[in-house]
Amino acid sequence: MIELHLSVQYATPVPELSRQQVRAWVVRALNIAYEQDEHEFESAELNLRFVDSDEALALNRTYRDKDYAPNVLSFEYGVDPLGTIRGDIVICWSVLQNEAIEQGKSAKDHAAHLVIHGTLHTLGYDHLDDKQAEHMEALEIAILQQMKIANPYM
């Protein structure tokens, strides 16, 4: 089991999701990823922040040169000499809610997916090519399936 230091911040109200719920999703993603793949870390320090579309847009412009509010942004900082991996995850609650409605799923299920997706990015997973995307998506699907949440890519 990975030691986790997690800060969950609510820059916008998200009454549907408690810190404990979000933490449980992050822990599950960390542990399953650690079990399935080789990793160089022993502990994790992550910040997860729920934001409004203005903050998400500003961050996306500043750090990605993109002019829209994304559903999730992840920042991976790597592993320090003590074996602690660090990263930040930013989730835009209004975009998440709109996507959930469009996709016919609950906001909570979509939030679980985006938290897991963001967590995997902080661990170094990516989807820049087909092989990486298939591996990352398969891991997300497996984690969500354990939580009885449908495959988000169907």
Side-chain angles (χ1 to χ4, degrees), residues 6 18-19 26 29 31 33 38 40 43 45 51-52 60 70 83 87 95 100 108 112 127 131 142-144 148 150:
L6 175 66
S18 69
R19 284 180 171 81
V26 172
N31 287 328
E38 291 186 26
E40 300 173 5
S43 63
E45 287 187 15
V51 301
D52 62 19
N60 210 24
V95 171
K108 187 174 180 180
H127 41 80
K131 185 176 179 182
I143 295 165
L144 291 166
K148 307 222 182 313

Side-chain angles (χ1 to χ4, degrees), residues 5-154:
H5 300 278
L6 175 66
S7 171
V8 179
Q9 304 167 2
Y10 296 95
T12 193
V14 184
E16 298 92 330
L17 301 180
S18 69
R19 284 180 171 81
Q20 294 81 6
Q21 178 64 76
V22 172
R23 180 180 182 78
W25 293 335
V26 172
V27 166
R28 186 175 297 262
L30 285 172
N31 287 328
I32 291 174
Y34 193 79
E35 290 169 7
Q36 290 198 8
D37 294 319
E38 291 186 26
H39 291 282
E40 300 173 5
F41 64 90
E42 297 299 322
S43 63
E45 287 187 15
L46 302 176
N47 299 301
L48 194 148
R49 181 174 174 86
F50 290 98
V51 301
D52 62 19
S53 58
D54 290 339
E55 185 171 344
L57 173 61
L59 290 167
N60 210 24
R61 281 180 178 158
T62 301
Y63 295 103
R64 302 285 194 261
D65 268 340
K66 296 182 179 177
D67 198 30
Y68 63 91
N71 57 9
V72 61
L73 282 169
S74 301
F75 300 91
E76 172 196 357
Y77 306 123
V79 180
D80 71 15
L82 299 174
T84 301
I85 195 162
R86 290 187 170 79
D88 292 324
I89 304 161
V90 178
I91 296 177
C92 182
W93 184 245
S94 60
V95 171
L96 181 155
Q97 287 179 303
N98 289 336
E99 288 177 347
I101 291 166
E102 290 169 8
Q103 297 170 18
K105 59 178 80 168
S106 74
K108 187 174 180 180
D109 284 356
H110 195 38
H113 177 223
L114 294 182
V115 167
I116 289 164
H117 185 87
T119 301
L120 292 178
H121 272 307
T122 66
L123 302 181
Y125 291 88
D126 218 326
H127 41 80
L128 297 175
D129 63 41
D130 288 344
K131 185 176 179 182
Q132 288 178 342
E134 286 175 20
H135 183 65
M136 185 173 177
E137 288 174 10
L139 195 52
E140 290 174 49
I141 292 164
I143 295 165
L144 291 166
Q145 189 174 43
Q146 284 189 1
M147 297 167 26
K148 307 222 182 313
I149 296 175
N151 178 344
Y153 297 105
M154 296 298 288

